[in-house]
Each structure stands twice: as structure tokens, then as C-alpha cells.
Amino acid sequence: MRILVVSIGTYGDVLPFIGLAAELTKRGHDVTMSTAATFEIAVRRAGVAFEPLMSAEDYEGLFEHPDFWRPFRGGRRLFSSIAAFFKPTYDFIAERDRAGETLVLASSLALGARVAEEALGVPTVTVHLTPIMFASRYEPTRVPYMRVPAWLPKWLKWKLQTGLYSSFIAKLLLADLNAFRATVGLKRLKKIRKWWHARAGVLLLAPHWFAPAQPDWPKRVRQLGFPRADQFGARFGQLDEPLRAFLDAGEPPIAVTFGSARFGSTKLYRAAIEACARIGRRCLVLSHQPLNLPPDLASIAFAAQYAPLGDVLPRCSALVHHGGVGTTALAFGAGVPQLIVPMAFDQFDHAERVRRLGCGDTLPRRRFSADRAAATLGRLIASGEVAKRCAEAAAACKGVDAIGEACDLLEAEFCNLSAPRRAAGCV
């Protein structure tokens, strides 16, 4: 089977798709992945054919801009910018489609793939990594600065969520989307919330215990576990020697990472390291950007640009982070308490779910200080109840191969649709 994988997003968004592409390639399928040139080395290292969807400069200009990590500015910036990728995504699929043999896997933001599904008839599966993609009258997801109270009537919960699509997202997306649809002979859309999910199938890679399926989610949603894909971002197959030496040199440190965020991240890192110092803990700092720390803080912290969290977190006592779903999942898997400082998008929802599960707590970015972080971390690390809940989450993650299960499902549901696909090596 020919499989075209399209992913638009940051590291946490793209790495699971590299994992899916790598596994499908190992199974003998003809796989090509299209994403930002930023990830070309990682994709090719995984043994997958690569096609750039945007330049590294375009990626940096969109996803690493300081405004991207402000809740409203980031949303406006994102939904005003992704129209630029409608045509490149569509062309990538149109040029490689073999009728009756092709399947497309598309990330949440790869909307050009949805247009190709309609215009070309190529089967497409939308793969979501976060439950925030689904509105619900029963258990609404948490969006930045808007918590929908549980006591509200269902109709009002629904109106508040769908209003976000119509009054914010649709206003930024719909005109450009309809203009592009017209170029390929498709009718105008009036709404995009339901259209967002592919017709052929929808996968949610987040387990039921983290995000219980709601009665009003789309019926075609298939829900699996968290994908383990952090290893695809590493330069080496094992931890480098200085990092290994740091981990071996003392008690388990507190890990700190705020992902690829630039807005205010130096201040956040400094406060987190100071918090570790105040409770007498070493600190492992993971940051894509260099940090100029004063000597008194540098003496207790080890800084690295990247390390597979799945390898280092089991050797840590807690994790301070931004609430990206990949980071959250790996913390669950390692059984460590989490202190989440959400910045934008789905991070507020993930933080709320971690808090409800008893596996951590959350602090607003504006209130994040060394004093508050030290008090919260000290409480989380000392709590027997938190330790118990974290151990339960780790047990629920143990042995789960969501990427393998997703590939099994894709092969079972799409490989036997036609003789040409069986001839292409489907099982």
C-alpha cells in the first residue's frame, strides 16, 4: 500500500507521525512523509522517504515566534497561517496518489489533505493527538482562559464550544479554505467543525482513562493509547555520556522543559531552577534554546538541548513542563508527578486532566515563581497519594504500543479494500 503521511506542527505534533511512518515502512509499505524541513534528518534517520512541506525558516517563523505561545495571539497566528499549506499538502497527495492503492494519514492541521480526500477520493485518516479536537455537551475540553463549568446545561456547554469555532477559528480559516476549494472544483463550506475530521476514519491517540470518550463525539473515532515517539527526535541511540554521568551522580533530579516555547521561557526556566534549589533538588533542564544562567543556578542544573524523555524521566523525581500531550504522556509512563505551566492551545486541557487524575498540579504562567513552584513541587513529591496515582498511570501505560496498534488497525481496515492494494503488499 502507498501511504502518504502529512504532519503540521511542533516537535510533539510531528514525532508521533514519524513513528507511524517508520512502523508502516518496516511493514513493507511504500511510505512518504511530508512535514517541515526541520524534521528531515529525523524522518530519514527513521528510514522513511521525505518531502518538505515547508522550509525550516517558515517553520521557525510560525512555530517559534514568541507570539505563538500566547493563547489568543498564538491562535490568530496559527489559523491565519495554515492556509499557506493547503496547496502544498494537496499537491503532495495529488502527485503521488495511485488510485485504489493510496492511504493518507493527516495531522489535525493538515487540512489540505481533507480537501484532497473530497476532490480526489483518496481515503484519508485524520490522526488527532489531543481530545481538544472534539466538542462535547457532556465533558467539554478546557481551552485557554475558558473553563466550561460542569453545572451548566448541556445546550449552553455546546454553544460555548461551537461558538469558539464559528466566532474565532472559522473567521480566520474559512475564507482562504473556500477560495482554495474553489480552485479544485469543490463547493463552499459554511462550517468547518464537523468537516475537520476525515470521512474515512479518525484516530485519537490518547487513552480512555485520560480522555473518556463522550457520547456525542463522532461515531467513527477510534481511540488508542499514547504514542511513544520521543526517541525519533534524538540524535543518538542512547543517552550521551555527560547526561548519563549527571543522572548517575546523585539523587533523581527534577526535570524541566517548556518545549519549543520562546515567549518568556528564560524567566520560566530560571524560576523552575530556583525552585529546585530551594527544596534541595538537582535539576535537569531540557531546552532547544540556549539559556544564560547565573553561576549559582548553573551549579545545580544540567542543561541539554534534547533527550528522550522516555529514557530520562524514570530517573527523575518530578517534571515541570508546558503541558504538551507528548510530554504529559511520557510523564504518565514514567510515573512521575507533574507541575504544568500551560501556555496555549491544548495545554490547558492536558493540565486540567493531570490535576483531576491526581498525578500533578498546575500553575498559571503569570503566577509561576520560584516560591510557588518550590511549594508545589515539595508537596507533590512528598505526597503518598500523588505517588499512588502516578504509579497507577504508569501501570496503565506499561506494555502499550499505540503506534503498532494504530498500524494494525490501518492495515486491517484499509488494506483489503481492493485487489491493487493486496498486490501492493497488504496483509
Side-chain angles (χ1 to χ4, degrees):
M1 179 163 59
R2 168 163 286 188
I3 300 176
L4 305 176
V5 180
V6 188
S7 180
I8 299 173
T10 61
Y11 276 79
D13 302 311
V14 174
L15 293 185
F17 285 85
I18 299 178
L20 288 167
E23 177 62 24
L24 289 164
T25 298
K26 288 179 183 177
R27 296 184 181 206
H29 300 292
D30 175 12
V31 183
T32 303
M33 180 167 180
S34 185
T35 186
T38 308
F39 302 100
E40 179 174 3
I41 292 175
V43 174
R44 294 193 185 280
R45 188 189 301 123
V48 178
F50 174 81
E51 181 70 26
L53 187 67
M54 69 182 85
S55 68
E57 292 75 21
D58 287 340
Y59 174 89
E60 182 175 348
L62 175 55
F63 294 110
E64 296 186 3
H65 191 282
D67 280 353
F68 187 77
W69 296 106
R70 295 186 177 194
F72 295 118
R73 292 186 188 180
R76 283 195 297 268
R77 187 173 186 82
L78 174 64
F79 295 118
S80 298
S81 300
I82 61 174
F85 310 113
F86 293 160
K87 189 175 188 304
T89 300
Y90 182 94
D91 290 345
F92 166 71
I93 295 168
E95 292 166 4
R96 290 162 181 78
D97 178 34
R98 290 199 302 245
E101 299 179 34
T102 304
L103 174 67
V104 174
L105 302 185
S107 69
S108 300
L109 296 176
L111 298 183
R114 281 290 291 113
V115 178
E117 181 183 33
E118 282 189 73
L120 304 174
V122 56
T124 300
V125 175
T126 302
V127 182
H128 296 309
L129 303 176
T130 170
I132 203 172
M133 296 304 301
F134 305 110
S136 175
R137 298 172 179 83
Y138 298 88
E139 187 179 288
T141 55
R142 171 87 156 83
V143 297
Y145 301 135
M146 189 182 84
R147 178 183 282 108
V148 180
W151 50 264
L152 287 179
K154 291 177 183 178
W155 68 266
L156 185 52
K157 292 179 184 178
W158 187 253
K159 191 174 183 64
L160 287 170
Q161 294 168 85
T162 56
L164 177 65
Y165 277 88
S166 58
S167 64
F168 183 66
I169 297 174
K171 284 187 175 180
L172 295 170
L173 268 179
L174 205 49
D176 288 330
L177 179 58
N178 279 328
F180 179 66
R181 288 172 62 86
T183 67
V184 296
L186 295 177
K187 296 179 180 179
R188 292 175 58 82
L189 291 172
K190 293 182 180 180
K191 298 180 179 180
I192 60 172
R193 183 181 56 81
K194 292 182 180 179
W195 174 87
W196 204 295
H197 312 297
R199 292 173 177 173
V202 182
L203 287 181
L204 172 60
L205 299 187
H208 292 279
W209 57 264
F210 176 71
Q214 300 303 303
D216 50 358
W217 281 7
K219 299 302 181 185
R220 62 189 182 281
V221 174
R222 303 290 294 273
Q223 192 171 358
L224 301 174
F226 290 123
R228 166 71 193 276
D230 60 311
Q231 67 271 28
F232 292 102
R235 291 191 177 93
F236 309 105
Q238 54 186 337
L239 299 181
D240 61 52
E241 193 53 42
L243 174 54
R244 187 182 298 277
F246 171 77
L247 293 171
D248 290 340
E251 68 176 354
I254 294 173
V256 178
T257 181
F258 294 107
S260 54
R262 288 178 182 243
F263 173 67
S265 59
T266 299
K267 181 180 178 181
L268 293 174
Y269 277 110
R270 182 169 296 191
I273 298 169
E274 287 180 359
C276 293
R278 293 185 187 190
I279 61 174
R281 294 280 179 163
R282 302 189 306 152
C283 184
L284 170 61
V285 180
L286 302 175
S287 171
H288 287 283
Q289 290 81 42
L291 298 173
N292 296 316
L293 299 173
D296 60 320
L297 293 182
S299 64
I300 69 155
F302 181 93
Q305 278 195 321
Y306 183 87
L309 287 176
D311 293 336
V312 300
L313 284 183
R315 304 188 61 179
C316 294
S317 56
L319 173 64
V320 181
H321 67 108
H322 55 304
V325 69
T327 306
T328 300
L330 290 165
F332 279 135
V336 296
Q338 306 177 53
L339 173 54
I340 301 179
V341 188
M343 299 183 187
F345 305 111
D346 52 5
Q347 296 168 5
F348 291 82
D349 185 60
H350 305 152
E352 181 68 15
R353 292 175 188 276
V354 168
R355 187 192 63 78
R356 289 204 304 254
L357 287 166
C359 294
D361 208 342
T362 177
L363 286 173
R365 179 171 60 191
R366 291 180 180 177
R367 297 185 59 214
F368 187 78
S369 66
D371 285 341
R372 291 190 179 97
T376 305
L377 284 167
R379 173 175 55 80
L380 291 174
I381 293 171
S383 170
E385 182 62 23
V386 170
K388 176 186 175 183
R389 295 294 187 89
C390 288
E392 290 171 351
C397 293
K398 188 175 182 181
V400 174
D401 178 16
I403 287 178
E405 291 175 4
C407 293
D408 289 344
L409 187 153
L410 292 168
E411 288 183 328
E413 295 198 1
F414 293 96
C415 279
N416 296 318
L417 293 180
S418 65
R421 286 190 186 150
R422 289 193 293 273
C426 296
V427 296

